[in-house]
């Protein structure tokens, strides 16, 4: 099982590097191809909407297709799309690349989340591995910011800073093409026998797929509350993460290559916050962790935006720190709900939450981009504050619902309630 877990970490690292390059690509297509901010923001939608629909329509069937096969197909498609970015230098190719990346990530996310449920033995192990996987995703994001920043910086290999039409940043996609291709081969060569047998056993033991699986999951009282909470969280995270390079460049007036590299602080906060959450969640209740993180994120964002108006030099380091406090929220929520439902329902739930996350990310990026263009970056980032408050309210409701579900399951398996003890 260790080899399978290692594969999951590497795959998420690669997709973190690729998918969250959208913020950098938005900055570059505006500068290099002369695309408007409104048009550039469509890249987020082209990435997220395929994630939403593919995960919803195909995700519940992946247990029949095979998690390993899904990963190999996804990585192969991504490798070809990245090669296309290096050969066809246009905004249209960027749109196609993110479309392919979105479809591929939908397959990978459902496969990875479902596999985590099969290779872990209890809720704490599930929370720890999920946080580690999400942490590796953010390490990929962090590496991506520095990788793009290197190829965009003056004097780097392939960069042409004096030329406004510099295409040195596209050389990153040679690396992504090779990385995805090597991972596809590695997955193909790694035995998934134990995982495949577990998946087949859970499918045979009352598992349902397709529309029936989705209906079964939606009957869980906690699921709708969880999906809306995940939607709001990703809307906040993607709205900030996608437009932070442009915020640094246009609001804080930082050179473009440094704008990208400073954005890596946001990714670093997300990475270390999620890796740390894997340790913290073994000792602290998940809802307590989320409450503390929401309060910290709200405070840091308010302070950072205030400083952006009066002390840009300080704001450039404060605003990205919101990532550290946002980081544990998503894996904590996901693990709490995933570990509370039967394993044969987890692929369907993963498809639903992937769709909710994709729609949330696309909505957050689009709304932030429109407000950024019409008003300014400070107002655009301030829009993230109300959703943070709603998340804290929804977490309270979700905790109550999960506790009620737990008590209900105890009754269903025959544990007598205390008030009936005198009737025995």
């Amino acid at each position: 099982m260790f080899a399978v877990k290692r594969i999951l970490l590497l795959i998420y690292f690669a997709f973190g590097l690729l998918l969250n390059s959208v913020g950098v690509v938005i900055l570059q297509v505006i500068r290099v191809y002369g695309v408007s901010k409104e048009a550039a923001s469509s890249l987020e939608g082209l990435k997220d909407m395929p994630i939403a629909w593919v995960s919803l329509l195909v995700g519940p069937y992946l247990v029949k297709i095979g998690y390993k096969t899904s990963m190999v197909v996804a990585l192969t498609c991504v490798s070809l799309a990245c090669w296309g970015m290096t050969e066809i230098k246009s905004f249209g190719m960027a749109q196609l690349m993110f479309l392919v990346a979105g479809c591929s990530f939908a397959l990978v996310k459902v496969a990875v989340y479902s596999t985590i449920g099969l290779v872990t033995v209890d809720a704490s192990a599930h929370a720890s591995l999920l946080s580690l996987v999400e942490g590796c995703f953010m390490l990929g994001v962090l590496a991506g910011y520095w990788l793009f920043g290197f190829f965009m910086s003056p004097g780097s290999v392939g960069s042409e800073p004096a030329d406004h039409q510099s295409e040195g940043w596209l050389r990153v996609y040679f690396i992504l093409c090779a990385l995805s291709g090597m991972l596809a081969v590695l997955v193909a060569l790694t035995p998934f026998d134990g995982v495949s047998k577990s998946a087949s056993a859970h499918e045979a033991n009352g598992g349902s797929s397709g529309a029936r699986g989705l209906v079964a999951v939606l009957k869980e009282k906690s699921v709708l509350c969880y999906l809306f909470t995940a939607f709001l969280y990703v809307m906040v995270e993607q709205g900030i993460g996608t437009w932070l390079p442009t915020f640094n460049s246009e609001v804080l007036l930082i050179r473009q290559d440094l704008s990208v590299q400073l954005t890596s602080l946001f990714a670093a906060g997300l990475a270390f916050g999620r890796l740390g959450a894997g340790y913290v969640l073994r000792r602290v209740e998940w809802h307590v962790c989320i409450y503390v993180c929401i309060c910290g994120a709200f405070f840091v964002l308010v302070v950072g935006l205030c400083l952006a108006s009066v002390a840009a030099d300080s704001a450039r380091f404060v605003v990205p720190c919101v990532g550290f406090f946002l980081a544990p929220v998503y894996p904590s929520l996901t693990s709490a709900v995933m570990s509370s439902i039967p394993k044969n329902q987890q692929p369907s739930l993963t498809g639903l939450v992937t769709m909710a996350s994709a729609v949330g990310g696309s909505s957050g990026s689009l709304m932030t981009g429109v407000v950024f263009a019409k008003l300014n970056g400070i107002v655009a980032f301030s829009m993230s504050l109300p959703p943070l408050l709603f998340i804290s309210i929804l977490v309270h409701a979700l905790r109550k619902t999960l506790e009620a579900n737990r008590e209900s399951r105890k009754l269903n398996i025959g544990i007598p309630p205390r008030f009936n003890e005198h009737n025995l």
Side-chain angles (χ1 to χ4, degrees):
M1 289 298 182
F2 175 76
V4 174
K5 293 178 181 178
R6 180 188 60 191
I7 287 290
L8 303 184
L9 298 178
L10 290 173
I11 290 174
Y12 249 56
F13 174 85
F15 272 94
L17 203 160
L18 172 64
L19 291 177
N20 281 271
S21 67
V22 66
V24 179
V25 176
I26 284 176
L27 176 65
Q28 289 300 94
V29 298
I30 291 173
R31 183 178 71 91
V32 177
Y33 301 138
V35 177
S36 67
K37 289 186 176 68
E38 291 86 349
S41 66
S42 68
L43 291 177
E44 189 76 47
L46 285 166
K47 170 176 70 75
D48 288 336
M49 296 313 296
I51 294 176
W53 288 108
V54 172
S55 62
L56 182 65
L57 299 176
V58 181
Y61 297 97
L62 287 192
V63 68
K64 297 182 181 297
I65 298 171
Y67 300 144
K68 178 177 179 177
T69 301
S70 303
M71 294 178 194
V72 172
V73 170
L75 288 164
T76 302
C77 291
V78 163
S79 183
L80 292 174
C82 290
W83 175 80
M85 278 290 287
T86 65
E87 299 298 320
I88 307 171
K89 303 176 177 66
S90 67
F91 179 57
M93 186 61 225
Q95 291 176 307
L96 178 60
M97 189 274 294
F98 280 113
L99 180 67
V100 172
C103 293
S104 300
F105 184 64
L107 299 178
V108 163
K109 185 168 184 177
V110 176
V112 168
Y113 272 42
S114 300
T115 303
I116 289 173
L118 297 173
V119 299
T120 53
V121 295
D122 54 33
S124 62
H126 189 284
S128 180
L129 181 56
L130 182 59
S131 294
L132 186 60
V133 167
E134 290 287 347
C136 284
F137 183 89
M138 296 316 305
L139 285 177
V141 176
L142 176 62
Y145 284 128
W146 281 94
L147 196 58
F148 275 96
F150 171 77
F151 280 98
M152 291 166 59
S153 62
S156 67
V157 177
S159 67
E160 302 170 32
D163 182 2
H164 188 64
Q165 302 298 318
S166 172
E167 295 174 345
W169 60 284
L170 289 171
R171 294 177 182 269
V172 176
Y173 289 97
F174 280 118
I175 299 172
L176 290 172
C177 175
L179 177 61
S180 301
M182 288 188 293
L183 280 175
V185 174
L186 184 60
V187 173
L189 296 177
T190 301
F192 273 58
D193 295 340
V195 175
S196 301
K197 290 178 181 178
S198 298
S200 300
H202 285 295
E203 178 70 9
N205 188 26
S208 55
S209 61
R212 288 186 302 169
L214 295 174
V215 171
V217 170
L218 288 171
K219 287 181 179 179
E220 295 285 341
K221 296 178 180 179
S222 59
V223 168
L224 290 177
C225 183
Y226 163 61
L227 293 176
F228 188 50
T229 308
F231 169 86
L232 290 176
Y233 169 80
V234 179
M235 184 174 70
V236 172
E237 183 191 298
Q238 289 292 96
I240 295 174
T242 300
W243 287 95
L244 191 53
T246 308
F247 181 89
N248 288 338
S249 177
E250 297 190 6
V251 177
L252 304 182
L253 304 179
I254 302 172
R255 200 177 70 216
Q256 287 183 338
D257 59 304
L258 292 180
S259 296
V260 173
Q261 291 174 350
L262 281 170
T263 305
S264 67
L265 295 176
F266 179 77
L270 287 169
F272 293 116
R274 286 180 180 169
L275 292 172
Y279 174 82
V280 172
L281 289 171
R282 290 181 178 272
R283 293 159 177 80
V284 178
E285 290 289 338
W286 66 272
H287 57 275
V288 175
C289 178
I290 291 177
Y291 290 143
V292 172
C293 291
I294 292 295
C295 291
F298 192 94
F299 175 76
V300 169
L301 189 56
V302 169
V303 171
L305 293 178
C306 290
L307 288 173
S309 301
V310 296
D313 288 342
S314 299
R316 68 177 65 181
F317 297 108
V318 175
V319 174
C321 290
V322 71
F324 179 80
F325 293 98
L326 288 176
V329 175
Y330 187 80
S332 300
L333 279 171
T334 301
S335 182
V337 179
M338 281 279 186
S339 59
S340 72
I341 67 171
K343 290 185 178 181
N344 54 48
Q345 293 182 354
Q346 290 182 6
S348 296
L349 178 57
T350 304
L352 288 169
V353 72
T354 304
M355 179 176 184
S357 300
V359 175
S362 181
S363 301
S365 178
L366 183 60
M367 288 190 296
T368 303
V370 170
V371 176
F372 203 121
K374 300 297 183 183
L375 298 175
N376 59 65
I378 294 176
V379 175
F381 276 24
S382 297
M383 292 174 57
S384 299
L385 297 174
L388 289 175
L389 296 178
F390 282 119
I391 289 172
S392 62
I393 296 171
L394 288 169
V395 166
H396 177 74
L398 181 61
R399 179 174 68 90
K400 293 294 185 182
T401 304
L402 289 176
E403 289 175 353
N405 288 349
R406 194 177 300 115
E407 292 300 320
S408 177
R409 287 195 176 91
K410 287 181 180 179
L411 293 176
N412 289 337
I413 63 175
I415 298 177
R418 291 186 179 182
F419 58 78
N420 280 338
E421 289 177 356
H422 298 292
N423 297 331
L424 297 177

